[in-house]
Every structure is written in structure tokens, then in C-alpha cells.
Amino acid sequence: MQKSKFFIFDCSNAANCCDKKEYNEANVREKTSIIIHNLFCKKCRDYSAKNSKLTQLIKKARIKGCTSEEKRNIKERLKQEISKQKSSSN
Amino acid sequence: MPKHTLDPNKWVDKYADYLFNYAIVRVNDREIANDLVSETFLAGLNSKDNFLGKASERTWLISILKRKVIDYYRRINSQKGKAEVRINYSDDENTGEWLEEQVADDFDRSAEDEMENEELRLAILECLDEINPKHAAIFKMKTIDGADTEAVCNEFKITPSNLWVIIHRARTALAACLEKKWL
Ligand SMILES: [Zn+2]
């Protein structure tokens, strides 16, 4: 494929591979391409460093999200209340 | 400064995670934390006419949640009649400093770490409030819940390449937002 010839020089591709790597979803070709790209591109080198630091911060924060199910339940309660208020104000 | 307004229809998507994280470290129980968050939204709805628009929606909701948490502690304390809890509650809306401690427990290193983690946790969620809500939801599902790409794409009806574009934007925005203090 023609594209692969330029792949290594393309910053947006490098950023994309870098993001995937943070989620352990980069394949060997993608991982290699970042290493090579970063050798000559400072911008992407900086992005990679910041990106992995961000991953560590997010891990450290141990954020506990509400599940979509829990959110749906809360929304349901809120919706009932809103409609109750609407009907009583009419 | 623009006057803040309330938009209850968006509350759950925008603030549920933030409030939930605040509650869960204090009550240490998912179900109770969920109840407190629901009660907070309901109380907010019932007293929305008292909202003066001086604080942001989130600050206002968190001040309601603080009171809910305190009420919760009072309730379990009067039920159990032991485990005395002292509550230091500063009503400063900007810092939102609030500290609850068991009297018997020393304020040890791990508690301090936990406080710093909480500060970071809430900072991340605050930053995510600033980006497109759908992008924030996608980012959270992928990054915080650790869902796999396929599941996220199915849930939001997007392609994997859309997903990675959104993730990239969210990560860049988040990094910029956290930069000064944390990165
Ligand atoms: Zn580059």
C-alpha cells in the first residue's frame, strides 16, 4: 500500500498510534512506527511523554464512574420528579 | 461574569460521575453513594428557585451533596450511637474544603494520599466537564471503565476511527486542562 510509505512521517498517524498504545491496542507495526517517528520528531516525542503521564495520572486518580445503568436509574427518578413538578405547577 | 443558570435535564450526564466520586470516598458504598447523588439532584430540583446564579451549577450541587453526606453521617451515628464522627465543614464554595474524620483515627499518610488522589480525581472530572459531553462520555467509557473499542463503538454508534479521533481530542484537552497543576 502506498500509504505505508509515508506512514512513518505522518504526525497524525504517530499521534493515533501513540493513543492506541496507551490503551494497549497498538500492534507491533504501530509501536515500531512511533519509536522511529519519535526519533526525528520532537513534537510527537513530547506528546508521547505527556500522553503516558496522563495515563498514569488517570490510574492514580482511581476514578469510579457511575455505570450507565446507575445513571439511567438516577435519570428516571429525576424525570419523574420533573414531570411531577410540571403537572403541579399547571 | 456571566450569571449561571440551571439545566436539570443535563445534570445526570454532566455531574453524576463527579458527585458520585465525591460521595463514594465518604460513604464507601456504591448503593448509598448512588442514593445520595439521586437525593442531591432531587433536592436541587426542589430548591432550584433558590439558586442565585452566583456559583456554577456544579458548585451548587456539590454544596447540596455535602449536606446530604453530613445528614447521612448524623443518621448512622444516631442509629449506632457510637463511632463518633467529627465533621469539619468549611462553607467556602471556592475551595470546597471539607474533611470528615473518625475521632479515633490519626490523620495518617494514607489519608493524606487519599486526599491528594481525590483532588486529582475531581480535577480530572472537572476538566472533562469542559469538553463536548458526548466526547466526555466516550472517553470515560473507554478510559475509566476500560471498555473495549468494539463495545464503545456499539454503544455510541461510531466507527473505530471516529473513536480514536474523539479519544485524541479528549486526551489533548484533558492534558491541557491538567497541565499547570498536575502534568
Ligand atoms: Zn510527529
Side-chain angles (χ1 to χ4, degrees):
Chain A
M1 249 167 63
Q2 268 307 96
K3 204 182 163 202
S4 64
K5 206 170 138 194
F6 301 104
F7 185 81
I8 216 85
F9 300 109
D10 185 337
C11 287
S12 65
N13 266 318
N16 179 245
C17 296
C18 175
D19 292 330
K20 284 185 179 169
K21 195 173 139 240
E22 294 305 319
Y23 295 87
N24 293 323
E25 290 186 32
N27 59 34
V28 176
R29 175 173 162 270
E30 289 167 330
K31 280 187 208 157
T32 318
S33 79
I34 315 168
I35 295 171
I36 299 169
H37 183 97
N38 283 358
L39 283 177
F40 60 81
C41 181
K42 183 173 184 320
K43 195 181 121 207
C44 291
R45 208 156 52 225
D46 291 348
Y47 179 73
S48 293
K50 207 186 269 180
N51 214 12
S52 67
K53 236 174 145 188
L54 182 64
T55 300
Q56 283 163 20
L57 267 190
I58 294 167
K59 275 197 190 129
K60 188 180 163 209
R62 285 187 282 128
I63 297 171
K64 301 174 188 80
C66 279
T67 63
S68 351
E69 165 102 32
E70 286 166 337
K71 279 188 191 152
R72 266 194 289 275
N73 288 338
I74 300 174
K75 270 186 192 164
E76 204 41 54
R77 282 177 77 174
L78 201 57
K79 230 200 235 155
Q80 282 170 5
E81 192 64 26
I82 292 175
S83 62
K84 229 197 292 175
Q85 283 193 357
K86 270 191 189 143
S87 63
S88 68
S89 68
N90 284 341
Chain B
M1 219 175 96
K3 202 164 158 19
H4 299 281
T5 52
L6 298 180
D7 189 355
N9 290 315
K10 293 190 182 141
W11 281 356
V12 179
D13 287 328
K14 282 192 85 171
Y15 307 117
D17 284 319
Y18 188 90
L19 298 175
F20 179 80
N21 270 275
Y22 183 91
I24 193 144
V25 288
R26 289 172 173 82
V27 300
N28 216 357
D29 180 295
R30 278 198 90 87
E31 208 176 313
I32 295 165
N34 261 300
D35 280 346
L36 291 173
V37 173
S38 294
E39 284 173 25
T40 298
F41 288 138
L42 295 180
L45 205 58
N46 288 324
S47 57
K48 67 179 190 301
D49 296 338
N50 302 333
F51 180 72
L52 300 173
K54 282 193 212 152
S56 70
E57 250 185 339
R58 182 181 45 227
T59 306
W60 186 69
L61 288 167
I62 207 97
S63 72
I64 298 173
L65 176 60
K66 281 176 188 173
R67 263 165 246 147
K68 294 276 167 206
V69 174
I70 292 170
D71 286 347
Y72 166 76
Y73 276 118
R74 291 215 178 105
R75 222 154 49 220
I76 56 166
N77 277 337
S78 62
Q79 273 165 14
K80 288 179 187 162
K82 52 178 182 179
E84 199 180 332
V85 171
R86 189 174 67 217
I87 291 163
N88 298 331
Y89 176 34
S90 128
D91 215 348
D92 183 346
E93 289 195 318
N94 291 322
T95 59
E97 271 174 14
W98 189 90
L99 164 66
E100 157 272 312
E101 47 185 318
Q102 296 284 136
V103 174
D105 282 354
D106 286 328
F107 190 66
D108 60 11
R109 181 67 208 152
S110 70
E112 218 169 284
D113 281 348
E114 191 42 58
M115 294 271 290
E116 196 199 311
N117 278 354
E118 173 169 47
E119 202 190 325
L120 170 63
R121 188 180 306 142
L122 297 180
I124 291 172
L125 291 168
E126 268 176 53
C127 287
L128 288 174
D129 268 1
E130 306 297 320
I131 68 175
N132 173 314
K134 192 182 164 196
H135 291 187
I138 290 168
F139 175 82
K140 281 183 200 166
M141 187 174 175
K142 180 82 187 120
T143 315
I144 293 163
D145 307 339
D148 58 35
T149 299
E150 201 189 338
V152 184
C153 290
N154 286 342
E155 172 90 18
F156 289 93
K157 313 255 178 309
I158 52 174
T159 65
S161 56
N162 287 152
L163 172 95
W164 289 112
V165 170
I166 290 166
I167 291 288
H168 182 72
R169 286 195 189 142
R171 292 186 75 91
T172 309
L174 187 55
C177 179
L178 293 170
E179 181 125 54
K180 267 196 192 136
K181 195 154 178 207
W182 300 95
L183 273 179

